[in-house]
Amino acid sequence: MPLRRLTDLPAGALARALFEAIPDGVLVLDADGVVVDASEAVCEMLGYPRDEIIGRAPPHPWWVDGMLPAAPRRFPAAGAREAPAVLVRRDGTTIPAVVRSVALGDGPDGGGNVVVLGRVPSAPGLPLGDESYRAVVAAVHEGVVVHGPDGRIVSCNPSAERILRVASDEIVGRDWAHWDAVREDGSAIPPHENPSTLAALTGRPQNDVVMGIRTPEGEVRWIAVNAEPVPADDGGVAAVVATFSDIAGRRQREELVSRLGRILEQSRDEVHVFDSRTLRLVQVNRAAVTNTGYPMADLHRMTPLDLLPELDPDAFAAIVEPLRTGDVERVQFETVHRRRDGTTYPVEVRMQLVGSESPPVIAAVVLDITARHAAEVELRGREAENRRLAHEQGALRRVATAVALEDDPQSVFDLVCEEAVRLIGASGGGLVRFEDNRTASAVGAWSVAGAPPAFGDGESLDGEGLAALVARTARAARIDTRSGEGAHHDVAVAAPVRAGERLWGAIGVTGIAHERAAPDAAERLGRFAELVGIAVSNAEARARLADLAATDHLTGLANHRTFQERLAQEVVRAARHGRRFSLVLLDLDHFKRVNDDLGHQMGDAVIREAARRLGALARAGDLMARVGGDEFAWLMPETGGMEAWRAADRAREAISAEPFTGVGQLTISAGVCDLDQAPQHSELFRLADGALYWAKQHGRDVAFLYSPEVVEVLSDAEHAERLTRLQALQSIRVLARAVDAKDPSTRQHSERVSEVAKVLATALGWSPDDASALRDAGLVHDVGKIAVPDAILFKPDRLTEEEFQRVRAHAALGAEIVADVLSNAQVAWVRGHHERWDGAGYPDGLAGEGIPVGARILTLADAWDVMTSARPYGVPLSREDAIAECRRCSGGQFWPAAVAALERVLVEGGLPDER
């Protein structure tokens, strides 16, 4: 059976006891020399853990080859043998020992060996006896050669063979000249100058002589030689014993140190090396001299404390002590360095103990971080400014959204005052309108608890208050006040509000602590004043429109407002007198495709023709109204549900009976409900809308009479949300058209951009729905310009940097205004429509594929309209010149794929005409 462990042999208990009781080390080897067991004593003796001894195959690292028989096996297969040896411990140290081996098994190959390793007591000098002498020489890791009187080598040890990379028979009989010895500078060493020859000639030792010898492979190996003459009885030299070691590693380290020294000398970072006990500087580099202004000699008389004004001896000792004790490998901290002229500069210090030096030293690398500190200060300043701008943009967005949604003017005015107070850090704010009788009428206010109002209601415009100052100068005003003798110093600021070109009133804030009053407070307040002016202008415009218009301008039918008023009246009248009443809601099927595919002009023509056909069906006393883009409502007094359904079906046939010019066949869907199902006008509209929705979902071209068993109607909350979103989007579109309408040259700019964007998206393979979504985003892409003053928008001269930043902000603000109405993708398109393919755009500096695809298309569509439309500051380009400019900017300003699509569309004639 194969040998396993000694303790597995018969009489295992006795074997185990003997195995552990023998004070000498015991190894068990199998027939191939693989160690299969080892006692604790041998592990301790050799310094190897047990798992690194067991399983080890020959050659074994713990004794020197040559001390025992070599190939074919280290130990005899039978019998016992004892020999002196030098054991090599794991750490490289050696132990004189006696090795005894006993074979196991009786076969021709044996069953392995039991090897006992016994220590030999150490004695001063070399062990006695030739065998012991040879054992020690063989165990030495350095090469050892003995030269005869003629300089030729007469013997060598195994380490000499290893270092010279040749066998002993190629070493013995030769001298150093055989290996073409050279000095460190590469010059050849003459035979009479090699260290062994010099030792023989002079009788004096030659110590640590570095020379290079060439191996048979042509490689130069560097060795350090010590040659010791052996005196003869006649006083001459009988022999020379030379020891040598491979110093290739040492030379590499020396070259590395030299290279590092040169690097450190040329480094801009300071290097200070100081004694870890006395702290005296022992070495510095050139950068330390340059940066501190001290001469090298002065620095060598100083300590780091002389250069570190922020640290006292105790603080510095607390930093250095963990390095001295080895608790940490390195420390790093920031402080300041003092120059010779007394000035200081911020530094980062990295210290590390160099324990290999005697006495130990600490190397400190000192980095001048002045630029980094300046960058950090600038970054903190930018972050603070960005936070301030973010707060301001948030406040402006909330106010602009309220204006766009056409909230109640009083709510808008109070919101403006609240946002201004919070943003500027005031205690109270107010909004006044200037009346014809030279008084200021309060129309909005907000203040923290206990703070007085910013303006008094009925305040005279002929006095010295804030309102009077603004009214007199038509400019922003500032007043500094003191609330009591010697103490509290407050600031009040106001800005004019204009409605168009007319000075309408003023907005002001009070109670700003003097130390917190920003220099640009009046300017920031002015941005709120501009939004108030827009709200006032919108409110006045709505009032005028309400007085002048009760009909839809496109169709001549009643408009949505008239419809709502008449619906409420008719429901009340019918309920009071017990009359029948029905409501029909009609919606053109797939009308969006008409606008998307043929443009809004054709869409308007379809709406007008549909209104003509439907209006022809209305009876005397009926009301036909246009209540949305392609939605119509038919109020039918004195009419029950079935009769109204038959009328709705006639309307359906009137629409589908004859093709629409330039479009073709169209259909319409209708929803019908009467007062039997809904006694309230709001409920009547909701149920009729539910019937219309059911008709749309079940094939279209259908008139459906509401039935609670069939129609599932939207909840009030769902219906309200749907209407709110539609109204909000319509309001934002109105606001965008108002921006375009400020300048005659930009009228319908957004409509043109949206149409071009939609055509390009289709050419790029977008689905109809996605292309329509891009068109909707294009309609409101410039809505953020509502916050840009007209004086900047229409300035004929080059804009200042500050004015340009105001214009740049419109893209981000526009995205915030539409965020609650459009999808996330559409919001990203609005925000990114001024980004450039090369990354030089704004507001986020996006580049290439990082720009949303819709934004890339809008960028080209916007630029195309600017190039091809008449502007007061330039002549429009022809389409040929414009497409040439687009090609030139492809890959820079524009997405190359979009430019390619534009060229295809132009060739195919699919681009809308400029208007």
Side-chain angles (χ1 to χ4, degrees), residues 91-108:
D91 59 8
T93 60
T94 58
I95 308 169
V98 174
V99 178
R100 302 179 183 89
S101 65
V102 178
L104 295 174
D106 297 327

Side-chain angles (χ1 to χ4, degrees), residues 26 112 115 119 156 174 201 208 320 370 383 396 460 517 533 558 577 596 605 668 675 745 753 779:
V26 180
V115 182
R119 293 176 183 267
C156 67
R174 304 185 187 280
L201 292 175
D208 204 26
V320 172
T370 302
E383 288 176 346
L396 291 172
S460 172
H577 300 290
D596 291 346
I668 197 169
L675 284 182
S745 67
V753 170
L779 287 172

